[in-house]
Amino acid sequence: MTAAAGWMRMQYPAPSPAEIEAAARILFEEARFYRWFPIATDSYEIFAESNPIGVAELRGIAERMLMAAAHTKWGTRLR
């Protein structure tokens, strides 16, 4: 078996949309608390409606963090 074939067998499912959304909400709350970016809104929902690009970026960061955690948990390597 080649190294590429071994890599294909070791892949794990991506986080679910619900997991990504939950993690993005945590990132949003932390960003508000630490003032990482200016937010004049009181909720994630308002932020999501007013800044679709920003919320997409938060979801992308959350997804990458969850995947890195899964790979670490299972002892696999990220590329």
Side-chain angles (χ1 to χ4, degrees), residues 12-74:
Y12 297 95
S16 71
E19 291 170 323
I20 294 168
E21 186 69 15
R25 287 173 180 274
I26 296 297
L27 282 175
F28 171 80
E29 291 301 326
E30 292 299 309
R32 285 186 62 212
F33 179 79
Y34 289 106
R35 301 173 195 254
W36 292 343
F37 51 85
I39 296 179
T41 59
D42 293 328
S43 73
Y44 178 81
E45 288 76 17
I46 294 170
F47 174 68
E49 287 177 16
S50 66
N51 191 346
I53 293 172
V55 81
E57 290 173 351
L58 279 181
R59 288 178 181 147
I61 293 167
E63 182 177 16
R64 292 194 332 263
M65 291 172 65
L66 291 168
M67 290 191 71
H71 283 277
T72 300
K73 180 178 180 179
W74 296 104

